[in-house]
Amino acid sequence: MIHSATPERDNTSKPLALGRALRLHAYGGADSLKVDMVHAPEPGPDQVLVQVKAAGINGMDWKVREGYLRERFNLVLPATLGIEMSGVVLKVGSKVKDVGVGERVTAALGGLGAYADHLVINAEKLIKTPAPLSDIDAAALPVAAMTAWQVLQVPEFDLRGKPVLIHGAAGGVGSFAVQFAKAAGATVYATASTKSVAHVRALGADEVIDYQKQKFELVANNIDLVVDLVGGPVVDKSWPILSHNGVLVSIAATDVVARSPGGRRGVWFSVKPDTARLATIAQQVADGFLRSVIAEVVSFEDLAEAIERNRTGHAPGKTVADFTR
């Protein structure tokens, strides 16, 4: 359904460009998301206006939609969803020096607003997209790759020779976590569905446990780091397999600390902005040292349905929306 936007004007009274935005009108199911036509925002002195070319779809999307994250996102509805994107700069603020009109950029927003044809963002949050990298591959990086990288830093010990178990290793975050852990010299155990075992093994995992056929707690033991990307019962089943000084880091179980039994360390993790590291990772993907695994590419019109599908899993990798389709 398309809604009309109220015309907005800049300080010269010239109409600003209209574009699509996938906006949340009320907390609930897929039908609470609607495509509205809205005017492009005007960048402030430290901001740039970006034409979005692609945006990554995340598990957070449906949680925001249903109201589970109201404390984190104090939204005034209707609100545009989406937390990462790639695109091209259309206009820069008066104080912006390091990026110019026409340059390709990638960013995690640190908030919402990526599911729109136009958005404004502080220039400091952007990286320049490496030339060999497509907009689709670039849009898959900011949240998944940065989450995977930062999760592995939580224990603050050298991973070389250490056993690491990654739950949900076939997804966007998991695919990068396997690669990063292997590059760090860890012995990588990973859980995946039957259809994803070969994919995870190809990423470098030393032992892939098909959770549909095996109980991971019977295969992995004395694990120094468990990375939980799934939540639910796997968290409780993972405590007994931790080593004496082992750590369980979860991005899926917000109550992991409360669920930690005596003598066990559980950590809830949320990704933080780091443009320098993101730029490094993007270049590694562009150079072929890392794989950006794309599960599915959908059109803007299919965004709402893709968010719903993301609740129940999908092919290995990350789902990305192509705004140029």
Side-chain angles (χ1 to χ4, degrees), residues 43-323:
D46 297 311
Q47 296 178 318
V48 302
L49 173 65
V50 176
Q51 181 179 2
V52 179
K53 298 293 186 179
I57 296 173
N58 292 277
M60 182 182 292
D61 294 334
W62 69 265
K63 296 175 184 177
V64 172
R65 186 195 70 192
E66 297 202 1
Y68 294 135
L69 300 177
R70 294 191 197 192
E71 292 183 1
R72 179 171 178 181
F73 297 102
N74 185 19
L75 301 181
V76 176
L77 302 183
T80 303
L81 299 192
I83 59 176
E84 61 183 336
M85 63 84 203
S86 62
V88 62
V89 175
L90 295 180
K91 190 174 184 179
V92 301
S94 59
K95 295 183 180 180
V96 176
K97 305 299 181 184
D98 296 331
V99 65
V101 172
E103 291 192 287
R104 297 172 64 233
V105 293
T106 304
L109 274 57
L112 302 179
Y115 296 158
D117 284 323
H118 308 101
L119 63 82
V120 292
I121 184 171
N122 287 348
E124 64 183 13
K125 294 182 179 180
L126 296 169
I127 67 164
K128 295 180 182 180
T129 305
L133 207 60
S134 72
D135 292 321
I136 299 299
D137 283 329
L141 297 181
V143 173
M146 287 305 305
T147 299
W149 173 264
Q150 292 179 6
V151 158
L152 295 175
Q153 314 308 311
V154 171
E156 297 182 343
F157 54 66
D158 192 339
L159 294 180
R160 283 179 293 182
K162 300 288 196 305
V164 173
L165 171 61
I166 301 168
H167 288 305
V173 177
S175 292
F176 277 110
V178 169
Q179 294 177 80
F180 289 141
K182 188 64 178 177
T187 300
V188 182
Y189 294 81
T191 62
S193 65
T194 303
K195 68 180 181 181
S196 299
V197 166
H199 161 74
V200 176
R201 187 175 290 119
L203 293 175
D206 296 287
E207 180 80 35
V208 185
I209 303 165
D210 182 344
Y211 65 77
Q212 294 175 311
K213 297 179 179 179
Q214 297 173 287
K215 293 182 177 180
F216 70 85
E217 60 269 33
L218 299 180
V219 178
N221 61 79
N222 205 33
I223 302 296
D224 289 316
L225 172 62
V226 172
V227 176
D228 168 49
L229 310 175
V230 179
V234 300
V235 173
D236 298 320
K237 292 178 181 179
S238 295
W239 300 119
I241 69 171
L242 282 177
S243 65
H244 177 68
N245 295 314
V247 183
L248 189 157
V249 184
S250 180
I251 70 168
T254 57
D255 60 347
V256 64
V257 175
R259 290 164 66 177
S260 305
R264 298 297 187 182
R265 182 186 173 200
V267 178
W268 161 249
F269 176 82
S270 181
V271 68
K272 302 170 184 63
D274 184 347
T275 52
R277 176 57 58 180
L278 178 58
T280 297
I281 292 172
Q283 192 60 57
Q284 289 175 321
V285 174
D287 292 340
F289 293 112
L290 286 171
R291 287 179 58 192
S292 175
V293 182
I294 306 299
E296 181 184 15
V297 178
V298 301
S299 67
F300 188 98
E301 286 71 20
D302 291 331
L303 255 173
E305 290 78 9
I307 290 170
E308 182 64 18
R309 287 198 301 274
N310 203 45
R311 297 183 62 171
T312 55
H314 45 70
K318 177 97 170 182
T319 301
V320 177
D322 181 355
F323 285 26

